Amino acid sequence: MTTTADRPPAKPAAHRTPTGAAQRLEPLAERLLGGGLPVRVRMWDGSEAGPEDAPTVHVRSRRALRRLLWEPGELGLAEAYITGDIDLAEDLGDGLRAMRRAVSERGLTPPAPSLADRLRAAGTALRLGAVGPRPPVPAARAGLRGALHSKARDRAAISHHYDLSNAFYALLLDETMAYSCGYWTSDAPGYGPADAQRDKLELICRKLGLRPGARLLDIGCGWGSLTLHAAQHHGVRVTAVTLAAEQAAYVRGQVATRGLEELVEVLNIDYRDIAGRPETRGAYDAVSTIEMGEHVGDAEYPAFTRILHDSLRPQGRVLVQQMSRGADAPGGGAFIESYIAPDMHMRPVGETVGLLEGSGLEVRDVEALREHYVLTVDAWRRTLEERWSDFVDLVGEETARVWRLYLVGGALAFEERRMGVDQILCVRPDRTGRAAMEPTRRDWYEAQR
Protein backbone atom coordinates (compact mmCIF):
# COMPACT_ATOMS: atom_id res chain seq x y z
CA MET A 1 0.00 0.00 0.00
CA THR A 2 1.42 3.37 -0.99
CA THR A 3 1.23 6.07 1.62
CA THR A 4 1.20 9.79 1.12
CA ALA A 5 4.80 9.86 2.25
CA ASP A 6 5.75 7.40 -0.53
CA ARG A 7 4.30 9.56 -3.32
CA PRO A 8 6.72 11.84 -5.23
CA PRO A 9 6.28 15.47 -4.34
CA ALA A 10 3.97 17.43 -6.65
CA LYS A 11 5.67 19.80 -9.07
CA PRO A 12 5.41 23.45 -8.09
CA ALA A 13 2.60 25.16 -10.00
CA ALA A 14 5.06 27.34 -11.89
CA HIS A 15 6.71 24.26 -13.44
CA ARG A 16 3.61 22.32 -14.44
CA THR A 17 3.25 21.70 -18.15
CA PRO A 18 0.49 24.00 -19.41
CA THR A 19 -2.35 22.39 -21.35
CA GLY A 20 -4.37 25.39 -22.51
CA ALA A 21 -5.82 26.20 -25.90
CA ALA A 22 -2.47 27.47 -27.19
CA GLN A 23 -0.71 24.18 -26.48
CA ARG A 24 -3.52 22.22 -28.11
CA LEU A 25 -3.30 24.32 -31.25
CA GLU A 26 0.48 24.67 -31.53
CA PRO A 27 1.26 21.22 -33.09
CA LEU A 28 -1.54 21.60 -35.61
CA ALA A 29 -0.49 25.16 -36.53
CA GLU A 30 3.12 24.09 -37.01
CA ARG A 31 2.00 21.21 -39.21
CA LEU A 32 -0.10 23.51 -41.39
CA LEU A 33 2.59 26.22 -41.53
CA GLY A 34 5.42 23.82 -42.35
CA GLY A 35 7.48 24.91 -39.34
CA GLY A 36 7.48 26.61 -35.95
CA LEU A 37 5.12 29.44 -35.10
CA PRO A 38 6.46 32.79 -36.37
CA VAL A 39 4.44 34.70 -33.75
CA ARG A 40 3.55 34.50 -30.08
CA VAL A 41 -0.07 33.43 -29.68
CA ARG A 42 -2.15 34.33 -26.61
CA MET A 43 -5.49 32.54 -26.45
CA TRP A 44 -8.77 33.52 -24.84
CA ASP A 45 -7.97 31.32 -21.82
CA GLY A 46 -4.66 33.11 -21.17
CA SER A 47 -2.47 30.27 -22.47
CA GLU A 48 0.43 31.21 -24.77
CA ALA A 49 2.71 29.51 -27.28
CA GLY A 50 5.39 30.55 -29.76
CA PRO A 51 8.60 32.60 -29.54
CA GLU A 52 8.62 35.03 -26.63
CA ASP A 53 10.42 37.72 -28.67
CA ALA A 54 7.92 37.62 -31.57
CA PRO A 55 4.84 39.82 -32.09
CA THR A 56 1.93 38.65 -29.94
CA VAL A 57 -1.36 37.77 -31.61
CA HIS A 58 -4.35 37.81 -29.25
CA VAL A 59 -7.00 35.23 -30.14
CA ARG A 60 -9.82 36.72 -28.12
CA SER A 61 -12.56 34.16 -28.72
CA ARG A 62 -13.30 30.73 -30.12
CA ARG A 63 -15.15 32.49 -32.93
CA ALA A 64 -11.77 33.37 -34.49
CA LEU A 65 -11.04 29.66 -34.99
CA ARG A 66 -14.54 29.11 -36.33
CA ARG A 67 -13.94 31.84 -38.91
CA LEU A 68 -10.75 30.11 -40.03
CA LEU A 69 -12.53 26.77 -40.30
CA TRP A 70 -15.17 28.30 -42.57
CA GLU A 71 -12.80 30.66 -44.44
CA PRO A 72 -9.20 29.38 -44.24
CA GLY A 73 -6.33 31.67 -45.18
CA GLU A 74 -6.01 35.42 -45.67
CA LEU A 75 -9.71 36.27 -45.78
CA GLY A 76 -10.57 34.37 -42.61
CA LEU A 77 -7.70 36.01 -40.73
CA ALA A 78 -8.68 39.44 -42.03
CA GLU A 79 -12.31 38.99 -40.98
CA ALA A 80 -11.25 37.80 -37.53
CA TYR A 81 -9.22 41.01 -37.20
CA ILE A 82 -12.03 43.20 -38.55
CA THR A 83 -14.48 41.82 -36.00
CA GLY A 84 -11.98 42.06 -33.13
CA ASP A 85 -11.78 38.29 -32.66
CA ILE A 86 -8.01 38.59 -33.06
CA ASP A 87 -5.71 41.53 -32.47
CA LEU A 88 -2.04 42.38 -32.22
CA ALA A 89 -0.41 43.66 -29.06
CA GLU A 90 2.03 45.74 -31.11
CA ASP A 91 1.43 48.41 -33.72
CA LEU A 92 -0.27 46.56 -36.56
CA GLY A 93 2.30 47.65 -39.14
CA ASP A 94 5.28 46.66 -36.97
CA GLY A 95 3.59 43.38 -36.12
CA LEU A 96 2.80 42.41 -39.71
CA ARG A 97 6.29 43.42 -40.84
CA ALA A 98 7.91 41.27 -38.14
CA MET A 99 5.62 38.34 -38.97
CA ARG A 100 6.46 38.48 -42.68
CA ARG A 101 10.17 38.73 -41.85
CA ALA A 102 9.97 35.69 -39.57
CA VAL A 103 8.14 33.65 -42.21
CA SER A 104 10.75 34.62 -44.81
CA GLU A 105 13.76 33.96 -42.59
CA ARG A 106 12.45 30.56 -41.51
CA GLY A 107 11.55 29.63 -45.05
CA LEU A 108 8.07 28.54 -44.06
CA THR A 109 6.24 26.99 -47.00
CA PRO A 110 2.84 25.66 -45.92
CA PRO A 111 2.12 22.27 -47.51
CA ALA A 112 -1.24 21.58 -49.04
CA PRO A 113 -3.35 20.25 -46.16
CA SER A 114 -4.16 16.57 -46.44
CA LEU A 115 -7.45 14.94 -45.49
CA ALA A 116 -5.81 13.83 -42.25
CA ASP A 117 -4.79 17.43 -41.52
CA ARG A 118 -8.34 18.62 -42.08
CA LEU A 119 -9.75 15.92 -39.81
CA ARG A 120 -7.14 16.75 -37.16
CA ALA A 121 -8.03 20.44 -37.38
CA ALA A 122 -11.73 19.66 -37.03
CA GLY A 123 -11.05 17.43 -34.03
CA THR A 124 -8.94 20.08 -32.31
CA ALA A 125 -11.57 22.73 -32.96
CA LEU A 126 -14.26 20.40 -31.57
CA ARG A 127 -12.30 19.82 -28.38
CA LEU A 128 -11.82 23.57 -27.98
CA GLY A 129 -15.51 24.29 -28.47
CA ALA A 130 -14.86 26.21 -31.71
CA VAL A 131 -17.09 24.18 -34.00
CA GLY A 132 -20.38 25.78 -34.93
CA PRO A 133 -22.32 27.62 -37.63
CA ARG A 134 -20.58 30.05 -39.93
CA PRO A 135 -20.04 33.39 -38.17
CA PRO A 136 -21.81 36.39 -39.72
CA VAL A 137 -19.88 38.07 -42.52
CA PRO A 138 -18.84 41.63 -41.57
CA ALA A 139 -21.20 44.20 -43.06
CA ALA A 140 -18.30 45.99 -44.80
CA ARG A 141 -17.74 43.04 -47.16
CA ALA A 142 -18.75 43.68 -50.76
CA GLY A 143 -21.49 41.53 -52.22
CA LEU A 144 -21.38 42.08 -55.96
CA ARG A 145 -23.62 40.30 -58.43
CA GLY A 146 -23.85 40.09 -62.18
CA ALA A 147 -21.37 39.55 -64.99
CA LEU A 148 -17.79 40.58 -64.27
CA HIS A 149 -17.18 44.18 -65.43
CA SER A 150 -20.68 44.68 -66.71
CA LYS A 151 -21.67 48.32 -66.34
CA ALA A 152 -24.05 47.55 -63.48
CA ARG A 153 -21.47 45.50 -61.57
CA ASP A 154 -18.74 48.09 -62.13
CA ARG A 155 -21.04 50.81 -60.81
CA ALA A 156 -21.70 48.71 -57.70
CA ALA A 157 -17.97 48.04 -57.23
CA ILE A 158 -17.09 51.72 -57.50
CA SER A 159 -19.95 52.68 -55.22
CA HIS A 160 -18.81 50.17 -52.59
CA HIS A 161 -15.46 51.90 -52.25
CA TYR A 162 -15.82 55.51 -53.31
CA ASP A 163 -19.36 56.23 -52.11
CA LEU A 164 -18.51 55.30 -48.52
CA SER A 165 -19.17 59.02 -47.90
CA ASN A 166 -17.50 62.28 -48.81
CA ALA A 167 -17.24 62.99 -45.07
CA PHE A 168 -15.11 59.86 -44.57
CA TYR A 169 -12.64 60.79 -47.30
CA ALA A 170 -12.54 64.41 -46.17
CA LEU A 171 -11.49 63.11 -42.76
CA LEU A 172 -8.86 60.76 -44.20
CA LEU A 173 -7.33 62.87 -46.99
CA ASP A 174 -5.75 66.31 -47.00
CA GLU A 175 -7.43 69.43 -48.38
CA THR A 176 -6.63 68.51 -52.00
CA MET A 177 -8.89 65.42 -51.66
CA ALA A 178 -6.41 63.56 -53.87
CA TYR A 179 -6.87 59.83 -53.25
CA SER A 180 -3.80 58.65 -55.16
CA CYS A 181 -0.03 58.51 -54.76
CA GLY A 182 1.61 61.85 -53.97
CA TYR A 183 4.96 63.06 -55.29
CA TRP A 184 7.22 63.80 -52.33
CA THR A 185 9.82 66.36 -53.37
CA SER A 186 11.09 67.43 -49.94
CA ASP A 187 11.76 66.12 -46.46
CA ALA A 188 11.91 69.62 -44.95
CA PRO A 189 9.92 70.32 -41.77
CA GLY A 190 6.40 71.45 -42.58
CA TYR A 191 6.28 69.65 -45.95
CA GLY A 192 3.34 67.26 -45.79
CA PRO A 193 0.86 65.18 -47.76
CA ALA A 194 -1.00 68.18 -49.23
CA ASP A 195 2.30 69.54 -50.59
CA ALA A 196 3.15 66.14 -52.07
CA GLN A 197 -0.25 65.99 -53.76
CA ARG A 198 0.08 69.50 -55.22
CA ASP A 199 3.55 68.61 -56.51
CA LYS A 200 2.05 65.48 -58.11
CA LEU A 201 -0.77 67.45 -59.74
CA GLU A 202 1.65 70.05 -61.09
CA LEU A 203 3.98 67.34 -62.41
CA ILE A 204 1.08 65.74 -64.31
CA CYS A 205 0.08 69.08 -65.83
CA ARG A 206 3.66 69.68 -66.95
CA LYS A 207 4.02 66.22 -68.43
CA LEU A 208 0.78 66.73 -70.34
CA GLY A 209 2.00 70.13 -71.58
CA LEU A 210 -1.20 71.86 -70.46
CA ARG A 211 -1.70 75.48 -71.53
CA PRO A 212 -4.60 77.94 -71.11
CA GLY A 213 -7.48 76.92 -73.36
CA ALA A 214 -6.29 73.32 -73.79
CA ARG A 215 -8.89 70.56 -73.44
CA LEU A 216 -8.33 67.81 -70.85
CA LEU A 217 -10.38 64.64 -70.42
CA ASP A 218 -9.95 63.41 -66.82
CA ILE A 219 -11.23 59.81 -66.68
CA GLY A 220 -11.86 58.61 -63.14
CA CYS A 221 -11.54 62.12 -61.74
CA GLY A 222 -12.11 61.15 -58.10
CA TRP A 223 -12.89 64.18 -55.98
CA GLY A 224 -11.56 66.42 -58.72
CA SER A 225 -8.05 67.19 -57.47
CA LEU A 226 -6.47 67.19 -60.95
CA THR A 227 -9.57 68.62 -62.67
CA LEU A 228 -9.70 71.58 -60.29
CA HIS A 229 -5.92 72.14 -60.31
CA ALA A 230 -5.70 72.10 -64.10
CA ALA A 231 -8.64 74.50 -64.51
CA GLN A 232 -7.71 76.88 -61.69
CA HIS A 233 -3.95 77.06 -62.18
CA HIS A 234 -3.56 76.38 -65.92
CA GLY A 235 -6.78 77.73 -67.43
CA VAL A 236 -7.59 74.32 -68.93
CA ARG A 237 -11.08 73.29 -70.06
CA VAL A 238 -11.78 69.96 -68.38
CA THR A 239 -14.30 67.19 -68.91
CA ALA A 240 -14.27 65.22 -65.64
CA VAL A 241 -15.68 61.68 -65.66
CA THR A 242 -16.54 59.58 -62.61
CA LEU A 243 -18.81 56.61 -62.03
CA ALA A 244 -19.23 57.48 -58.32
CA ALA A 245 -22.25 59.67 -57.59
CA GLU A 246 -20.78 61.05 -54.35
CA GLN A 247 -17.64 62.14 -56.18
CA ALA A 248 -19.59 63.82 -58.99
CA ALA A 249 -21.65 65.78 -56.47
CA TYR A 250 -18.52 66.88 -54.61
CA VAL A 251 -16.69 68.02 -57.76
CA ARG A 252 -19.72 69.97 -58.99
CA GLY A 253 -19.88 71.71 -55.62
CA GLN A 254 -16.20 72.64 -55.80
CA VAL A 255 -16.56 73.90 -59.37
CA ALA A 256 -19.36 76.22 -58.25
CA THR A 257 -17.51 77.37 -55.14
CA ARG A 258 -14.38 78.23 -57.15
CA GLY A 259 -16.24 79.86 -60.03
CA LEU A 260 -14.98 77.37 -62.62
CA GLU A 261 -18.31 76.64 -64.35
CA GLU A 262 -17.01 77.97 -67.70
CA LEU A 263 -14.04 75.61 -67.59
CA VAL A 264 -15.27 72.34 -66.03
CA GLU A 265 -17.95 69.84 -67.06
CA VAL A 266 -18.60 66.89 -64.71
CA LEU A 267 -20.07 63.68 -66.11
CA ASN A 268 -21.36 60.91 -63.83
CA ILE A 269 -21.01 58.15 -66.44
CA ASP A 270 -19.18 54.91 -67.16
CA TYR A 271 -15.90 55.44 -69.04
CA ARG A 272 -17.24 53.23 -71.84
CA ASP A 273 -19.93 55.80 -72.53
CA ILE A 274 -17.23 58.24 -73.67
CA ALA A 275 -16.86 56.27 -76.90
CA GLY A 276 -20.54 56.86 -77.62
CA ARG A 277 -20.19 60.65 -77.50
CA PRO A 278 -19.21 61.76 -81.05
CA GLU A 279 -18.06 65.16 -79.79
CA THR A 280 -15.24 63.51 -77.80
CA ARG A 281 -13.55 61.74 -80.71
CA GLY A 282 -10.18 63.37 -81.33
CA ALA A 283 -11.32 66.39 -79.33
CA TYR A 284 -8.82 66.51 -76.47
CA ASP A 285 -5.30 67.87 -76.19
CA ALA A 286 -4.69 65.63 -73.20
CA VAL A 287 -6.23 62.71 -71.34
CA SER A 288 -5.48 61.74 -67.74
CA THR A 289 -6.50 58.65 -65.82
CA ILE A 290 -5.14 58.59 -62.28
CA GLU A 291 -5.35 55.20 -60.55
CA MET A 292 -8.54 54.29 -62.34
CA GLY A 293 -7.15 51.70 -64.78
CA GLU A 294 -6.91 49.10 -61.99
CA HIS A 295 -10.72 48.96 -61.98
CA VAL A 296 -11.10 48.36 -65.72
CA GLY A 297 -10.44 44.61 -65.78
CA ASP A 298 -8.02 42.52 -67.79
CA ALA A 299 -10.25 41.62 -70.74
CA GLU A 300 -11.59 45.17 -71.02
CA TYR A 301 -8.24 46.98 -70.89
CA PRO A 302 -7.48 46.95 -74.65
CA ALA A 303 -10.82 48.69 -75.31
CA PHE A 304 -10.01 51.16 -72.53
CA THR A 305 -6.67 52.08 -74.12
CA ARG A 306 -8.45 52.53 -77.45
CA ILE A 307 -10.74 55.10 -75.83
CA LEU A 308 -7.66 56.93 -74.53
CA HIS A 309 -6.16 56.95 -78.03
CA ASP A 310 -9.34 57.90 -79.88
CA SER A 311 -10.17 60.79 -77.54
CA LEU A 312 -6.88 62.53 -78.36
CA ARG A 313 -6.14 64.84 -81.25
CA PRO A 314 -2.92 64.03 -83.13
CA GLN A 315 0.10 65.02 -81.00
CA GLY A 316 -2.13 64.91 -77.92
CA ARG A 317 -0.82 63.26 -74.76
CA VAL A 318 -2.20 60.82 -72.22
CA LEU A 319 -0.90 60.22 -68.72
CA VAL A 320 -1.81 56.99 -66.96
CA GLN A 321 -0.94 56.76 -63.26
CA GLN A 322 -1.65 53.19 -62.28
CA MET A 323 -0.79 50.61 -59.65
CA SER A 324 1.07 47.52 -60.76
CA ARG A 325 2.09 44.24 -59.19
CA GLY A 326 5.47 42.62 -59.01
CA ALA A 327 6.24 39.99 -61.64
CA ASP A 328 5.85 37.17 -59.10
CA ALA A 329 3.30 38.85 -56.82
CA PRO A 330 -0.44 38.24 -57.03
CA GLY A 331 -1.46 41.84 -56.38
CA GLY A 332 -4.78 42.58 -54.71
CA GLY A 333 -5.56 39.51 -52.64
CA ALA A 334 -8.71 38.09 -51.08
CA PHE A 335 -9.05 40.82 -48.43
CA ILE A 336 -8.58 43.73 -50.87
CA GLU A 337 -10.94 42.22 -53.41
CA SER A 338 -13.62 41.48 -50.80
CA TYR A 339 -13.51 44.68 -48.76
CA ILE A 340 -11.72 47.47 -50.63
CA ALA A 341 -11.60 47.22 -54.41
CA PRO A 342 -13.80 44.42 -55.76
CA ASP A 343 -12.87 43.18 -59.24
CA MET A 344 -9.62 45.17 -59.25
CA HIS A 345 -6.93 43.88 -61.63
CA MET A 346 -3.24 44.73 -61.54
CA ARG A 347 -0.50 43.58 -63.88
CA PRO A 348 3.26 44.20 -64.15
CA VAL A 349 3.93 47.66 -65.57
CA GLY A 350 5.56 46.25 -68.71
CA GLU A 351 2.31 44.55 -69.69
CA THR A 352 0.41 47.83 -69.33
CA VAL A 353 3.00 49.57 -71.50
CA GLY A 354 2.46 46.92 -74.17
CA LEU A 355 -1.31 47.39 -74.08
CA LEU A 356 -0.99 51.16 -74.44
CA GLU A 357 1.33 50.72 -77.41
CA GLY A 358 -1.12 48.22 -78.91
CA SER A 359 -3.75 50.96 -79.11
CA GLY A 360 -1.53 53.13 -81.32
CA LEU A 361 -0.09 55.31 -78.56
CA GLU A 362 3.65 55.92 -78.31
CA VAL A 363 5.00 55.51 -74.77
CA ARG A 364 7.46 58.31 -74.08
CA ASP A 365 8.16 58.11 -70.36
CA VAL A 366 7.62 55.75 -67.41
CA GLU A 367 8.32 57.01 -63.89
CA ALA A 368 8.09 54.63 -60.94
CA LEU A 369 6.64 56.16 -57.75
CA ARG A 370 6.66 53.07 -55.53
CA GLU A 371 8.51 54.66 -52.59
CA HIS A 372 6.27 57.72 -52.87
CA TYR A 373 3.25 55.51 -52.19
CA VAL A 374 4.79 54.20 -48.97
CA LEU A 375 4.98 57.82 -47.75
CA THR A 376 1.48 58.60 -49.00
CA VAL A 377 -0.22 55.60 -47.41
CA ASP A 378 1.69 56.12 -44.17
CA ALA A 379 0.33 59.68 -44.03
CA TRP A 380 -3.23 58.41 -44.46
CA ARG A 381 -2.65 55.77 -41.78
CA ARG A 382 -1.35 58.35 -39.30
CA THR A 383 -4.47 60.42 -39.87
CA LEU A 384 -6.62 57.35 -39.25
CA GLU A 385 -4.86 56.56 -35.97
CA GLU A 386 -4.78 60.16 -34.76
CA ARG A 387 -8.51 60.60 -35.40
CA TRP A 388 -9.56 57.03 -34.65
CA SER A 389 -12.55 57.94 -32.50
CA ASP A 390 -13.86 60.29 -35.22
CA PHE A 391 -13.65 57.51 -37.81
CA VAL A 392 -15.38 55.02 -35.50
CA ASP A 393 -18.16 57.53 -34.80
CA LEU A 394 -18.59 58.12 -38.54
CA VAL A 395 -18.46 54.59 -40.01
CA GLY A 396 -18.32 52.17 -37.07
CA GLU A 397 -15.43 50.20 -35.62
CA GLU A 398 -15.53 47.31 -38.10
CA THR A 399 -15.17 49.62 -41.12
CA ALA A 400 -12.45 51.59 -39.33
CA ARG A 401 -10.57 48.33 -38.72
CA VAL A 402 -11.00 47.40 -42.41
CA TRP A 403 -9.26 50.63 -43.33
CA ARG A 404 -6.51 50.20 -40.76
CA LEU A 405 -5.72 46.75 -42.15
CA TYR A 406 -5.94 48.05 -45.73
CA LEU A 407 -3.58 50.98 -45.18
CA VAL A 408 -1.05 49.01 -43.14
CA GLY A 409 -1.06 46.13 -45.62
CA GLY A 410 -0.88 48.50 -48.59
CA ALA A 411 2.16 50.33 -47.25
CA LEU A 412 3.91 46.97 -46.69
CA ALA A 413 3.05 45.79 -50.21
CA PHE A 414 4.69 48.88 -51.75
CA GLU A 415 7.61 48.74 -49.31
CA GLU A 416 8.33 45.09 -50.18
CA ARG A 417 7.92 45.58 -53.95
CA ARG A 418 4.89 43.34 -54.19
CA MET A 419 3.06 46.36 -55.60
CA GLY A 420 4.18 49.45 -57.45
CA VAL A 421 2.71 52.56 -59.02
CA ASP A 422 3.87 54.28 -62.20
CA GLN A 423 3.20 57.36 -64.29
CA ILE A 424 3.15 56.37 -67.95
CA LEU A 425 3.20 59.25 -70.45
CA CYS A 426 2.07 58.53 -74.01
CA VAL A 427 1.50 60.57 -77.15
CA ARG A 428 -0.65 60.04 -80.22
CA PRO A 429 1.74 60.89 -83.07
CA ASP A 430 0.34 62.53 -86.17
CA ARG A 431 0.37 60.83 -89.58
CA THR A 432 3.95 61.86 -90.22
CA GLY A 433 5.11 60.49 -86.86
CA ARG A 434 5.61 63.86 -85.17
CA ALA A 435 4.93 63.88 -81.43
CA ALA A 436 5.72 67.53 -80.57
CA MET A 437 7.38 66.47 -77.33
CA GLU A 438 9.98 68.56 -75.49
CA PRO A 439 13.50 67.33 -76.25
CA THR A 440 14.29 66.90 -72.53
CA ARG A 441 12.41 66.44 -69.26
CA ARG A 442 13.94 69.59 -67.76
CA ASP A 443 10.72 71.64 -67.77
CA TRP A 444 8.85 68.94 -65.87
CA TYR A 445 10.97 69.14 -62.76
CA GLU A 446 12.77 72.46 -62.58
CA ALA A 447 9.91 74.24 -60.75
CA GLN A 448 9.96 71.61 -58.00
CA ARG A 449 13.62 71.89 -57.07
Side-chain angles (χ1 to χ4, degrees):
M1 179 177 178
T2 303
T3 65
T4 303
D6 295 325
R7 292 175 187 161
K11 292 182 181 179
H15 298 291
R16 289 177 183 164
T17 303
T19 56
Q23 286 69 42
R24 291 175 181 269
L25 278 173
E26 186 174 19
L28 176 63
E30 291 182 344
R31 166 84 179 172
L32 295 176
L33 287 170
L37 286 172
V39 295
R40 184 82 176 165
V41 178
R42 182 179 302 152
M43 305 300 285
W44 60 85
D45 62 356
S47 61
E48 297 187 16
E52 293 187 1
D53 60 347
T56 299
V57 176
H58 292 249
V59 182
R60 299 191 181 279
S61 74
R62 293 174 174 84
R63 189 170 54 241
L65 301 185
R66 192 145 41 100
R67 287 191 181 280
L68 288 170
L69 284 174
W70 283 96
E71 194 75 72
E74 175 190 327
L75 189 55
L77 283 169
E79 292 186 341
Y81 176 79
I82 290 165
T83 55
D85 292 324
I86 65 171
D87 218 331
L88 265 76
E90 294 79 2
D91 171 85
L92 183 61
D94 292 341
L96 290 180
R97 189 177 290 105
M99 288 164 60
R100 289 185 60 82
R101 185 168 59 248
V103 168
S104 175
E105 289 173 352
R106 296 180 186 198
L108 297 181
T109 52
S114 64
L115 177 60
D117 291 330
R118 296 178 188 275
L119 292 173
R120 191 178 295 113
T124 301
L126 184 63
R127 287 190 294 276
L128 290 173
V131 173
R134 185 173 194 143
V137 171
R141 185 169 174 177
L144 303 187
R145 294 179 176 85
L148 182 64
H149 291 297
S150 64
K151 287 185 178 181
R153 182 175 172 121
D154 276 359
R155 184 175 291 277
I158 292 299
S159 179
H160 171 79
H161 188 59
Y162 296 101
D163 286 343
L164 184 58
S165 83
N166 288 340
F168 174 87
Y169 287 98
L171 194 59
L172 180 71
L173 306 176
D174 59 78
E175 61 263 34
T176 68
M177 288 293 282
Y179 182 43
S180 54
C181 181
Y183 192 72
W184 297 74
T185 65
S186 173
D187 57 4
Y191 184 93
D195 302 296
Q197 292 295 351
R198 292 189 189 99
D199 284 343
K200 183 269 299 292
L201 298 173
E202 185 60 26
L203 178 63
I204 291 172
C205 290
R206 287 173 174 268
K207 287 184 175 182
L208 288 173
L210 297 181
R211 300 288 185 270
R215 292 197 66 191
L216 169 66
L217 175 63
D218 189 12
I219 302 177
C221 68
W223 287 271
S225 57
L226 179 59
T227 288
L228 298 168
H229 184 91
Q232 192 164 353
H233 297 284
H234 294 271
V236 175
R237 294 176 295 156
V238 188
T239 301
V241 175
T242 177
L243 192 52
E246 288 260 343
Q247 290 180 339
Y250 179 88
V251 180
R252 288 180 181 128
Q254 288 295 306
V255 167
T257 298
R258 303 184 192 197
L260 300 173
E261 293 93 337
E262 296 300 315
L263 292 175
V264 178
E265 174 190 25
V266 181
L267 303 178
N268 182 203
I269 61 173
D270 190 286
Y271 76 89
R272 284 164 285 205
D273 294 332
I274 296 169
R277 294 167 60 93
E279 68 272 22
T280 65
R281 191 172 184 86
Y284 293 96
D285 302 286
V287 177
S288 57
T289 177
I290 310 303
E291 295 181 27
M292 179 269 183
E294 302 90 333
H295 300 288
V296 168
D298 195 30
E300 291 73 19
Y301 205 84
F304 173 67
T305 62
R306 195 71 200 176
I307 290 172
L308 302 181
H309 173 277
D310 291 351
S311 300
L312 285 172
R313 63 164 177 77
Q315 299 184 356
R317 304 179 193 180
V318 59
L319 187 135
V320 175
Q321 180 169 309
Q322 188 170 304
M323 286 184 279
S324 59
R325 63 172 176 83
D328 299 318
F335 163 66
I336 295 292
E337 291 167 9
S338 297
Y339 283 88
I340 302 298
D343 299 341
M344 182 174 70
H345 180 82
M346 289 185 290
R347 65 181 65 80
V349 63
E351 293 182 15
T352 298
V353 167
L355 290 165
L356 289 165
E357 289 178 332
S359 72
L361 293 166
E362 181 182 7
V363 175
R364 299 299 298 254
D365 186 80
V366 179
E367 183 170 4
L369 305 181
R370 180 171 63 84
E371 292 85 355
H372 293 261
Y373 229 153
V374 177
L375 297 171
T376 302
V377 176
D378 275 344
W380 294 337
R381 183 184 60 83
R382 285 195 301 273
T383 299
L384 181 72
E385 299 298 344
E386 290 166 2
R387 307 192 67 178
W388 181 257
S389 61
D390 295 332
F391 282 100
V392 171
D393 289 345
L394 184 63
V395 296
E397 184 158 1
E398 282 193 3
T399 298
R401 288 172 74 90
V402 165
W403 276 78
R404 174 189 277 162
L405 187 58
Y406 165 49
L407 295 176
V408 167
L412 278 174
F414 288 107
E415 182 181 304
E416 297 173 352
R417 209 168 66 83
R418 289 179 282 122
M419 286 172 54
V421 64
D422 309 275
Q423 284 187 355
I424 308 170
L425 180 67
C426 308
V427 66
R428 177 181 178 174
D430 66 17
R431 291 181 179 177
T432 66
R434 290 180 298 179
M437 293 286 298
E438 300 90 345
T440 72
R441 299 177 176 87
R442 185 183 305 115
D443 290 343
W444 299 353
Y445 303 105
E446 63 182 5
Q448 296 174 330
R449 290 177 182 172

